């Protein structure tokens, strides 16, 4: 049998022109000293010292250095969040110093040629809002809208893409459904109510931003999961897959209306199997006890999963931006293989018709990983938390830089998916 000639071309896997490459972070996870939000209050009250955010990456002071890093690593887009609790530390009172700080950061990003994707809410709430009942308050969406109305005209000129809310279905599940995140409520009805209010907050923000700029690009960063039946022919497992897919992946767009999304922001981390072997109602299969490849978070590393969800979401016929995808690992070789194997699937999804316009690796920096503290290492750039938060650029960052520079994956890089060669042999590090 002979293979088609192009099979032997050893050419690169080239992405579409204008595809944007970059990375993502969030304010509370990197800024440090976000003393006016509900996470800070909860950490102080319930967490051991090493699981409190403290000065985190000290990004609030070191942003010029981090922007320099973004630039030197070739990133084209930076997804960042602004901290509501800094901008509006008290009910209806806005802090000009915080606003000026972000203007400065945004200006610097622009001067360095970066596109900005700005997230307006990434898991944290100002304490005054929490004291009122946060997302359970009947007026919650209006409070959020007031903040959005204030900042959009101020930051708008620097922003290329807006993310109103980060992963809010997952957030309401953690904060109001299973009580893992503050305010630690465990009540399914309250969870649904919070979900309703946040959907409303998104819709209101969408209108505010479009009133300011008709051409604005607005979306949500939505955490999507590829679901599978553990036993291919199990009827119950396949029903469970369908139900979770509908509610976990798609309900957000029914609640908000697909018309309030100029693009789909998709965060991809999870591949899940539904197991009906031990109970009548299938449960999520415990991957950590399986022999599968898992990250330091205990999440399965399954590149084909990103292909599956991209194909599924391409049915909405909206541009897609991968707003987060990454691996927690102290072994950077794993991150290199993660990047290559996931991007190879993204390439195939585009070739198969998905309109994917950009990719943002999570995360630029090691950071404060919520309840897990600082142990999980997601960064292309490591942070030495014992040594004045020193930044250490990892080899994976140079592999990614090479991909960005070539707008695709050179054939040589694909060899890194095996284990016999080292990054230095195919990419210039440093
Ligand atoms: C969140 C990030 C988090 C990352 C890794 C995403 O769900 O948006 O804040 O650090 O996952 O857990």
């Amino acid at each position: 049998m002979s293979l088609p000639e192009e099979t032997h071309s050893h050419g690169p896997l080239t992405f579409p022109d204008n595809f944007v490459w970059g990375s993502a972070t969030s304010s509370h996870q990197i800024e440090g000293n976000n003393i006016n939000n509900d996470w800070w209050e909860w950490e102080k009250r319930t967490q051991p010292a090493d699981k409190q955010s403290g000065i985190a990456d000290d990004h609030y002071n070191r942003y010029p250095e981090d922007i320099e890093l973004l630039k030197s690593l070739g990133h084209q887009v930076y997804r960042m969040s602004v901290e509501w609790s800094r901008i509006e530390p008290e009910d209806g009172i806005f802090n000009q110093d915080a606003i000026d700080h972000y203007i400065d950061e945004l200006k610097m990003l622009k001067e360095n040629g970066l596109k900005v994707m700005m997230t307006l809410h990434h898991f944290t709430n100002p304490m005054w809002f929490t004291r009122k009942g946060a997302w359970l308050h009947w007026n919650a969406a209006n409070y959020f809208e007031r903040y959005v109305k204030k900042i959009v005209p101020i930051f708008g000129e620097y922003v290329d893409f807006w993310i109103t809310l980060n992963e809010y279905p997952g957030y309401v599940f953690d904060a109001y459904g299973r009580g893992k995140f503050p305010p630690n409520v465990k009540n399914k009805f309250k969870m649904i109510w919070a979900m309703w209010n946040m959907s409303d907050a998104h819709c209101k923000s969408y209108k505010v931003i479009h009133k300011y700029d008709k051409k604005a690009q607005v979306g949500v960063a939505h955490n999507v999961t590829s679901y599978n039946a553990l036993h291919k022919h199990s009827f119950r497992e396949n029903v469970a897959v369908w139900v979770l897919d509908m509610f976990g992946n798609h309900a957000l767009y029914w609640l908000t209306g697909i018309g309030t999304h100029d693009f789909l922001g998709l965060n991809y981390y999870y591949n899940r199997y539904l197991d009906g072997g031990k109970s009548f109602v299938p449960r999520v299969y415990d991957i950590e006890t399986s022999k599968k490849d898992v990250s330091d978070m205990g999440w399965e590393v399954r590149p084909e999963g990103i292909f599956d969800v991209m194909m599924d979401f391409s049915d909405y016929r909206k541009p897609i931006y991968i707003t987060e995808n990454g691996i927690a690992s102290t072994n950077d070789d794993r991150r290199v293989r993660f990047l290559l194997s996931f991007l190879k699937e993204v390439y195939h999804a585009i070739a198969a018709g998905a309109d994917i316009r950009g990719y943002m690796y999570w995360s630029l920096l090691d950071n404060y990983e919520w309840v897990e503290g600082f142990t999980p290492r997601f960064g292309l750039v490591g942070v030495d938390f014992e040594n004045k938060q020193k930044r250490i650029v990892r080899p994976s960052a140079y592999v990614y830089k090479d991909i960005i520079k070539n707008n695709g994956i050179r054939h040589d890089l694909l060899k890194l998916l095996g284990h016999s060669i080292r990054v230095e042999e195919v990419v210039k590090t440093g």
Side-chain angles (χ1 to χ4, degrees), residues 25-26 29 79 122-123 166-167 221 223 267 269-270 297 299 324 326 328 362-363 367-370 372 378:
T25 60
S26 91
Q29 292 179 271
R79 178 174 168 226
H122 196 125
F123 296 173
N166 179 67
E167 298 187 350
N223 192 343
N267 295 356
Y269 294 99
Y270 304 138
M297 294 293 279
W299 301 341
E324 284 182 36
W362 182 273
S363 177
N367 57 40
Y368 176 69
E369 179 53 34
W370 310 112
E372 316 294 336
F378 277 94

Side-chain angles (χ1 to χ4, degrees), residues 1-153:
M1 192 187 82
S2 67
L3 293 165
E5 204 179 322
E6 60 268 25
T7 312
H8 298 293
S9 75
H10 286 195
L13 304 183
T14 305
F15 281 63
D17 291 346
N18 303 323
F19 191 88
V20 285
W21 302 93
S23 55
T25 60
S26 91
S27 54
H28 191 68
Q29 292 179 271
I30 61 169
E31 284 183 347
N33 285 327
N34 275 326
I35 57 173
N36 286 317
N37 74 30
D38 54 346
W39 269 85
W40 182 272
E41 189 278 334
W42 176 82
E43 290 161 26
K44 289 272 166 239
R45 192 162 39 81
T46 65
Q47 296 299 88
D50 62 345
K51 287 203 169 173
Q52 297 180 14
S53 56
I55 66 164
D57 293 8
D58 196 23
H59 172 81
Y60 203 73
N61 297 310
R62 298 176 69 151
Y63 66 92
E65 179 185 348
D66 293 337
I67 295 175
E68 194 47 53
L69 274 171
L70 285 165
K71 191 183 173 199
S72 69
L73 293 172
H75 292 213
Q76 299 160 339
V77 59
Y78 178 50
R79 178 174 168 226
M80 61 175 283
S81 74
V82 283
E83 179 62 32
W84 183 9
S85 66
R86 283 189 188 269
I87 295 174
E88 191 181 357
E90 286 168 60
D91 187 359
I93 299 177
F94 293 88
N95 181 326
Q96 195 55 42
D97 287 348
I99 292 175
D100 289 344
H101 166 93
Y102 286 121
I103 293 179
D104 219 50
E105 181 166 359
L106 290 163
K107 273 192 181 151
M108 205 173 281
L109 284 162
K110 290 281 131 189
E111 280 158 16
N112 283 285
L114 281 126
K115 288 191 190 300
V116 172
M117 183 177 275
M118 181 181 278
T119 309
L120 304 177
H121 183 275
H122 196 125
F123 296 173
T124 55
N125 302 306
M127 270 315 290
W128 63 262
F129 180 70
T130 296
R131 284 193 204 100
K132 285 182 191 289
W135 292 102
L136 300 177
H137 191 277
W138 61 274
N139 215 13
N142 291 329
Y143 286 123
F144 190 73
E145 186 190 22
R146 181 178 67 186
Y147 149 70
V148 177
K149 271 189 179 151
K150 170 80 185 179
I151 63 172
V152 165

Side-chain angles (χ1 to χ4, degrees), residues 359-379:
Y359 177 87
M360 278 146 266
Y361 179 81
W362 182 273
S363 177
L364 173 67
L365 300 165
D366 286 344
N367 57 40
Y368 176 69
E369 179 53 34
W370 310 112
V371 288
E372 316 294 336
F374 291 97
T375 313
R377 301 296 175 130
F378 277 94

Side-chain angles (χ1 to χ4, degrees), residues 186-341:
K186 286 188 196 168
N187 180 317
K188 295 283 180 312
F189 295 106
K190 289 187 176 167
M191 176 183 90
I192 293 167
W193 177 232
M195 175 84 182
W196 179 264
N197 282 331
M198 291 190 94
S199 301
D200 191 20
H202 163 73
C203 295
K204 288 190 154 75
S205 311
Y206 181 90
K207 282 199 194 115
V208 170
I209 301 169
H210 271 266
K211 198 168 168 203
Y212 164 78
D213 174 8
K214 284 196 181 54
K215 293 207 191 101
Q217 290 294 303
V218 185
V220 164
H222 181 27
N223 192 343
V224 291
T225 302
S226 49
Y227 294 105
N228 310 271
L230 186 64
H231 307 93
K232 193 171 155 198
H233 299 292
S234 158
F235 177 72
R236 281 181 291 122
E237 288 176 5
N238 280 293
V239 171
V241 164
W242 185 85
V243 171
L244 282 177
D245 184 39
M246 287 301 125
F247 287 96
N249 285 337
H250 296 284
L252 182 148
Y253 303 111
W254 308 334
L255 280 169
T256 52
I258 192 69
T260 66
H261 299 262
D262 300 308
F263 63 88
L264 307 185
L266 303 179
N267 295 356
Y268 180 76
Y269 294 99
Y270 304 138
N271 182 65
R272 296 216 154 110
Y273 300 92
L274 276 302
D275 178 10
K278 297 198 186 92
S279 54
F280 181 75
V281 176
R283 307 251 162 213
V284 174
Y285 176 60
D286 177 7
I287 206 78
E288 288 193 70
T289 59
S290 74
K291 297 220 164 57
K292 300 211 185 266
D293 184 12
V294 296
S295 71
D296 292 356
M297 294 293 279
W299 301 341
E300 186 188 359
V301 179
R302 184 173 177 267
E304 303 88 316
I306 203 167
F307 179 87
D308 297 351
V309 294
M310 290 305 135
M311 294 322 293
D312 186 22
F313 282 83
S314 68
D315 273 2
Y316 286 106
R317 309 216 171 261
K318 293 264 174 178
I320 294 174
Y321 289 87
I322 299 172
T323 35
E324 284 182 36
N325 173 233
I327 184 173
S329 181
T330 48
N331 176 347
D332 195 54
D333 286 343
R334 294 195 71 202
R335 190 171 352 267
V336 168
R337 286 199 291 280
F338 178 95
L339 263 172
L340 293 170
S341 55

